[in-house]
Amino acid sequence: MALRDILVVPDPILKRVSEPVDGVDDDLRALMDDMLETMYAAPGIGLAAVQVGVPKRVIVMDLAKPDEEAQPRYYVNPEITWASEELAPYEEGCLSVPEIYEEVDRPAKVKLRYLDYHGKAVEEEAEGLFAVCIQHEMDHLQGVLFIDHLSRLKREQAVKKVKKQKAA
Ligand code: NI
């Protein structure tokens, strides 16, 4: 396993639409292992492959609380098959937009399907933090960041702040 560099705004790669993968093989599992290690080191609770510069439809996540055992989750070619009309607000952050936290409204519940670490097809329902995180990460696969859900002014301020951090 190896740590990868996490891209931050305004890196243009983050705007790319990620490609579906053909299937889950050892190479893809090696990428997912690296992503998970990189996410834990950051630390973060979710990471899309495009954030380490690989525009493939792959996400890793771990929503365990600090005092719980690790619960790594892997999502390959995820698709949302249903989303509730009811929305829920959550203050989101992103490893590609460091130190910026803003409230975003998203469907409170979603159903999704994806391939897991072993290539098995899974269908699942998500709510709460899981629903927030999977929708946030799936946005990355479309080249969308959580700040794209904010007003243009707030978005521009966020990018400016990140640029300043980088320069410091
Ligand atoms: Ni993110």
Side-chain angles (χ1 to χ4, degrees):
M1 293 207 278
L3 288 179
R4 310 255 185 145
D5 289 330
I6 297 176
L7 306 179
V8 299
V9 287
D11 194 308
I13 294 175
L14 292 168
K15 305 306 289 179
R16 281 182 58 177
V17 176
S18 294
E19 296 283 333
V21 301
D22 289 336
V24 181
D25 58 13
D26 286 343
D27 285 346
L28 196 75
R29 274 187 283 270
L31 169 67
M32 292 194 282
D33 292 344
D34 283 359
M35 286 169 61
L36 196 76
E37 194 184 355
T38 302
M39 181 191 83
Y40 284 143
I45 58 172
L47 189 71
V50 70
Q51 293 179 272
V52 294
V54 181
K56 291 183 179 175
R57 303 188 80 80
V58 177
I59 290 164
V60 297
M61 199 185 291
D62 190 331
L63 304 177
K65 299 193 180 80
D67 58 335
E68 291 175 335
E69 291 254 325
Q71 289 161 27
R73 306 171 186 219
Y74 309 88
Y75 304 90
V76 177
N77 295 341
E79 286 174 73
I80 287 180
T81 56
W82 173 84
S84 66
E85 275 179 43
E86 186 204 339
L87 302 179
Y90 194 88
E91 193 178 64
E92 298 187 18
C94 179
L95 295 175
S96 294
V97 195
E99 291 172 49
I100 306 291
Y101 301 91
E102 292 285 351
E103 200 165 88
V104 177
D105 284 317
R106 299 184 187 273
K109 287 184 189 178
V110 294
K111 288 183 185 168
L112 64 144
R113 60 164 173 245
Y114 58 93
L115 302 177
D116 70 8
Y117 191 78
H118 303 286
K120 196 181 115 199
V122 179
E123 288 189 60
E124 213 168 6
E125 211 172 309
E127 59 180 316
L129 181 58
F130 179 25
V132 172
C133 197
I134 194 69
Q135 292 179 85
H136 173 119
E137 298 309 327
M138 286 182 66
D139 268 359
H140 277 298
L141 307 185
Q142 296 306 116
V144 173
L145 297 160
F146 83 98
I147 54 172
D148 294 325
H149 293 283
L150 308 176
S151 68
R152 183 173 161 186
L153 179 67
K154 278 194 170 177
R155 179 165 59 249
E156 285 173 355
Q157 280 173 344
V159 174
K160 219 191 226 172
K161 273 190 197 166
V162 173
K163 278 186 183 164
K164 247 191 204 160
Q165 291 169 22
K166 244 179 138 181

